[in-house]
């Protein structure tokens, strides 16, 4: 126990005990979080954790980056970045037992023929090739020990990889434990983690809605997701894995194909698209088949891997310093699609930037249907000499939105029309401007252009900003009905106002008002980001909030003061001063202050209420807000968070899918179980708490 550590403990004793504790705690984390089958009581778990915290406090040199006491994003410790974009963390690194090499690549079928010829000359007995899809994701190396997943390492530099075990445990088709029998006591199996198109599209839609930069392609999305801070977030990303290379000491298999067959029988995800080929013709047939068929696969493939199937012959052929001599990758050319330009839209973003976007005859490309492609700006349109009605080639490059790579002038029939780049904003008619050195035209009517106004409100409410649940369609309606034309207007909306929206009922109105009301708890740095000051993204907003501490200090800051802040250069400093110099912006800010938004980093620390004073609360399950945010709400209302149920627990706050053990234990101890909805009602300020919320809660109660 924490308190029983006598001061006589030597650093060496402490190191040994800390290692032991970390091992035991990790194993229990796995049992609790992953298997959903805890084997020790929450109390005993807390005691182990406290003991480790005490040792680390006494011997700071012993703190390791992987210590469960350090792990943010898990349930073990309040995350310092609670509610913010999950960031990538530093991972522990481990050496690879066998170097993780890459493959020789070619786009040239002739080189595949050369490879097959070289292999035939080196081996003078019959042999075969295993042909497989080349999965386009991020490489992973799994170690199974005694039938259980022991460790997952990324490729890293090929010699040392990042330990992403906890994240990998949340990938659904990777088994924690093997089934069947006959697996080696310890072995490695390597493969690829990738994100199927469907999950990729869903993730990017979500990111676009939240105004996070979308991932350029499923491969980036997969590797980014694999290195997320919060393992359970990894679980939501829809990653999948296919394994293609079994390694170990004296494995009882004659061929690679047999080894993968065995792996499949142990429950490991192995591709069923592989094929044994006897000669170059069969290899070429396989390549030709998949070059067409890959378009119908639900995930990205970028080629075919051809491997010598017999493990003895693999050994004979060996490795160069970089690649195996027994395998080669044939890469497919980037997919292109030919389609027609139907029209060109000129989109206006919340900052006023105008982007030409081509509407296309829908066409299938790399797993998704493409209907639009960006034309970036006027210069790009002129370079392509694009016309409406043209046949164009679209390609998915590294970028998110497909691009038009070329026009087919030979297919013109004379009906094509030269597009005219507008000289006025298509939404408000204001003459467009283009500053020196800028590639884009801008609509300068930031205060009056409906498209910019709506865009600003959408941004204001987005998840990383005020986190209010509202789609573009809601904002569209609020604006066109004259109910809101600025972020501050949103806080004066009443239930009656909302019932005027198409399809809105009392429940949806109440939910929206509640969400707005909750947004008063959003920390100051998010509020600052929500304002949509040009060049002030999430991290800049945080820098500014931390540096100046509150809105008044920030508003009073001179350009020179702003330039003192780390990472703030002249462009941002000018943008911030220009924003606060504008009287309309200052008026908005005063109205938002009156609405009760947090304008200071300090605000977050002062309790919202003392409604939960003296109550110890345990949370379990998934909530509509993050668990960290839920714990913050408990603390902000005077409550105490605990992970273990005991006689002292006031109630168990259960989201969806609460731990069955927790529910059982709570019932056994006669502890009340409260839903998220009940809890939210409990902590909602009484109608008289302040004038502004009186109005809204008055409305809310209409619907209760
Ligand atoms: S075998 C020692 N098989 O492509 C060779 N690799 O560009 C082990 N990849 O490093 C690799 N699908 O990350 C192999 N069916 C497959 C593959 C595959 C994708 C990846 C892998 C490799 C890279 C080479």
């Amino acid at each position: 126990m924490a308190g029983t550590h006598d001061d006589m403990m030597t650093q060496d004793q402490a190191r040994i005990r800390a290692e032991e504790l970390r091992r035991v705690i990790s194993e229990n984390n796995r049992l609790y979080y992953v298997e959903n089958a805890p084997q020790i009581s929450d109390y005993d778990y807390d005691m182990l954790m406290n003991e480790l915290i005490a040792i680390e406090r006494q011997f700071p040199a012993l703190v390791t980056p992987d210590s469960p006491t350090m792990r943010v994003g898990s349930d073990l410790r309040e995350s310092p970045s609670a509610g913010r974009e999950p960031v990538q963390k530093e991972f522990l690194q481990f050496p690879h037992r066998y170097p993780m090499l890459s493959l020789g690549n070619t786009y040239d079928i002739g080189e595949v023929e050369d490879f097959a010829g070289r292999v035939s000359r080196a081996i003078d007995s019959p042999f075969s090739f295993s042909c497989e899809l080349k999965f386009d994701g991020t490489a992973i190396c799994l170690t199974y020990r005694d039938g259980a997943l022991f460790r997952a390492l990324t490729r890293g530099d090929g010699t040392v990889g990042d330990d992403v075990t906890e994240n990998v445990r949340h990938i659904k088709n990777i088994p924690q434990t093997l089934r069947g029998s006959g697996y080696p006591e310890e072995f490695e199996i390597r493969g690829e983690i990738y994100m199927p198109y469907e999950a990729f599209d869903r993730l990017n839609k979500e990111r676009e809605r939240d105004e996070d930069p979308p991932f350029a392609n499923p491969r980036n999305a997969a590797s980014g997701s694999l290195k997320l801070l919060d393992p359970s977030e990894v679980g939501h990303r829809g990653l999948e894995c296919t394994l293609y290379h079994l390694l170990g000491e004296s494995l009882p298999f004659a061929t690679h194909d047999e080894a993968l067959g065995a792996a499949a029988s142990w429950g490991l995800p192995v591709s069923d698209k592989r094929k044994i080929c006897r000669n170059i013709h069969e290899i070429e047939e396989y390549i030709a088949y998949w070059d067409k068929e890959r378009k119908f696969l639900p995930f990205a493939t970028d080629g075919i891997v051809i491997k010598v199937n017999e493990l003895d012959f693999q050994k004979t052929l060996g490795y160069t310093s970089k690649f195996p001599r027994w395998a080669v990758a044939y890469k497919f050319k980037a997919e292109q699609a030919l389609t027609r330009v139907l029209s060109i839209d000129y989109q206006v973003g919340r900052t006023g930037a105008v982007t030409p976007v081509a509407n296309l005859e829908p066409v299938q490309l790399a797993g998704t249907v493409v209907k639009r492609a960006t034309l970036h700006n006027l210069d790009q349109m002129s370079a392509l000499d694009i016309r409406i009605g043209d046949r164009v080639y679209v390609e998915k490059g590294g970028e998110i939105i497909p691009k038009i790579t070329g026009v087919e002038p030979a297919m013109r029939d004379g009906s094509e029309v030269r597009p005219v780049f507008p000289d006025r904003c298509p939404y408000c008619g204001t003459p467009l401007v283009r500053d020196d050195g800028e590639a884009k035209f801008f609509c300068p009517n930031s205060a009056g252009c409906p498209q910019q106004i709506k865009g600003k409100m959408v941004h204001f409410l987005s998840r990383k900003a005020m986190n209010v649940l509202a789609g573009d369609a809601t904002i569209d309606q609020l604006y066109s009905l004259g109910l809101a034309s600025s972020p501050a207007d949103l806080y004066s909306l009443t239930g009656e106002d909302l019932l005027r929206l198409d399809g809105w009922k009392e429940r949806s109105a109440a939910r929206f008002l509640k969400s707005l009301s909750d947004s008063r708890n959003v920390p100051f740095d998010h509020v600052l980001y929500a304002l949509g000051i040009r060049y002030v993204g999430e991290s800049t907003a945080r820098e500014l909030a931390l540096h100046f501490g509150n809105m008044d200090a920030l508003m009073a800051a001179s350009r020179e003061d702003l330039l003192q802040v780390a990472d703030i250069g002249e462009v941002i400093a000018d943008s911030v001063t220009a924003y606060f110099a504008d009287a309309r912006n200052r008026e908005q800010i005063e109205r938002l202050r009156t609405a009760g938004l947090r304008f200071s980093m300090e605000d977050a620390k002062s309790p919202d209420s003392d409604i939960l004073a003296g109550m110890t609360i345990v949370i379990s399950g998934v909530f509509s807000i993050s668990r960290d945010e839920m714990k913050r709400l408990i603390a902000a209302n005077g409550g105490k968070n605990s992970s273990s149920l005991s006689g002292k627990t006031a109630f168990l706050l259960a989201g969806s899918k609460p731990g069955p053990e927790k529910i059982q234990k709570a019932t056994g101890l006669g502890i009340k179980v409260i839903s998220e909805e009940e809890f939210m009602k409990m902590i909602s300020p009484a109608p008289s708490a302040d004038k502004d919320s009186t109005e809204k809660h008055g409305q809310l109660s209409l619907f209760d």
Side-chain angles (χ1 to χ4, degrees), residues 101-103 132-135 139 155 192 244 305 307 324:
L101 301 178
S102 187
L103 286 173
E132 303 166 12
L133 298 180
K134 184 163 162 12
F135 299 89
R155 179 201 305 279
E192 207 81 355
Y244 47 63
V305 182
K307 300 173 183 172

Side-chain angles (χ1 to χ4, degrees), residues 179-477:
R179 60 177 160 78
S181 58
Y183 41 76
E185 208 171 282
E186 177 162 339
F187 65 93
E188 280 190 18
I189 189 157
R190 295 177 176 175
E192 207 81 355
I193 287 176
Y194 52 88
M195 187 175 283
Y197 292 126
E198 205 183 317
F200 173 69
D201 288 344
R202 194 180 53 222
L203 175 64
N204 264 358
K205 265 191 201 120
E206 213 176 286
R207 291 177 73 84
E208 267 169 59
R209 197 196 56 218
D210 296 343
E211 307 224 341
D212 286 332
F215 284 109
N217 51 49
R219 183 182 353 105
N220 290 2
S223 56
S225 301
L226 188 62
K227 294 205 169 176
L228 282 171
L229 192 63
D230 178 355
S232 65
E233 178 70 20
V234 179
H236 295 139
R237 294 271 169 114
L239 296 174
E240 284 182 14
C241 178
T242 296
L243 300 168
Y244 47 63
H245 192 195
L246 186 74
L247 298 104
E249 300 307 312
S250 45
L251 295 173
F253 309 112
T255 66
H256 165 72
D257 191 55
E258 208 185 302
L260 289 191
S265 77
W266 305 329
L268 291 163
V270 165
S271 171
D272 58 3
K273 311 270 186 291
R274 62 188 199 281
K275 187 172 182 252
I276 298 299
C277 294
R278 306 270 157 202
N279 52 49
I280 185 70
H281 303 294
E282 290 182 11
I283 295 176
E284 284 175 358
E285 253 174 47
Y286 183 86
I287 290 178
Y289 177 82
W290 282 109
D291 199 0
K292 286 209 180 82
E293 286 301 308
R294 69 187 170 118
K295 292 166 191 139
F296 308 107
L297 290 171
F299 50 81
T301 46
D302 58 343
I304 296 296
V305 182
I306 303 123
K307 300 173 183 172
V308 169
N309 187 32
E310 290 72 17
L311 298 180
D312 276 352
F313 297 153
Q314 287 191 1
K315 233 183 236 150
T316 313
L317 288 160
Y319 294 83
T320 70
S321 62
K322 278 163 104 184
F323 308 127
R325 288 200 183 88
W326 46 264
V328 74
Y330 171 81
K331 300 252 285 183
F332 296 130
K333 310 218 166 32
E335 267 185 69
Q336 270 198 342
L338 186 63
T339 186
R340 191 189 299 272
V341 177
L342 300 176
S343 60
I344 296 175
D345 286 342
Y346 297 88
Q347 291 185 343
V348 177
R350 68 177 161 90
T351 58
V354 182
T355 307
V357 177
N359 293 308
L360 306 169
E361 223 161 59
V363 64
Q364 186 80 28
L365 176 65
T368 48
V369 177
V370 173
K371 295 185 200 138
R372 287 157 76 75
T374 177
L375 285 160
H376 301 289
N377 52 48
L378 177 61
D379 297 343
Q380 175 71 10
M381 285 170 67
S382 313
L384 285 167
D385 185 24
I386 198 166
R387 322 241 169 117
I388 294 161
D390 261 349
R391 294 299 200 110
V392 292
Y393 293 100
V394 269
E395 217 175 84
K396 278 187 185 167
E399 299 84 29
I400 169 64
I401 306 178
K403 56 183 176 206
I404 294 179
T405 51
V407 173
E408 195 57 270
M411 293 174 89
R412 284 182 180 154
D413 63 9
S415 65
E416 296 76 18
V417 180
R418 268 216 166 81
V420 183
F421 201 97
D423 54 4
R424 287 174 177 273
C425 172
Y427 299 93
C428 70
T430 306
L432 299 179
V433 293
R434 174 151 77 161
D435 291 341
D436 286 349
E438 289 272 4
K440 295 216 173 218
F441 279 88
F442 278 82
C443 165
N445 181 18
S446 61
C449 174
Q451 197 63 10
Q452 292 186 55
I453 292 172
K454 287 189 277 185
K456 285 187 179 88
M457 284 196 280
V458 169
H459 168 76
F460 180 82
L461 296 181
S462 64
R463 189 157 67 93
K464 300 289 154 52
M466 302 309 288
N467 192 24
V468 174
L469 302 164
D472 296 6
T474 303
I475 298 298
D476 243 350
Q477 288 200 67

Side-chain angles (χ1 to χ4, degrees), residues 24-43 45-46 74-76 166 169-170 618-621 627 631 642-645 652-653 657-663 665:
V24 175
I25 290 172
S26 306
E27 175 56 8
N28 282 291
N29 279 346
R30 194 181 66 76
L31 291 165
Y32 183 93
Y33 291 109
V34 183
E35 306 277 21
N36 243 328
Q39 285 182 1
I40 60 171
S41 72
D42 291 347
Y43 177 78
Y45 176 91
D46 287 348
S74 76
D75 259 339
L76 303 173
E166 290 315 308
R169 291 190 195 285
H170 287 257
V618 177
I619 69 170
S620 180
R627 288 168 64 93
K631 287 180 182 175
S642 168
S643 56
S644 49
L645 290 158
L652 173 67
L653 171 52
K657 297 195 206 125
E661 294 258 325
K662 282 238 158 59
I663 298 284
K665 191 165 174 186

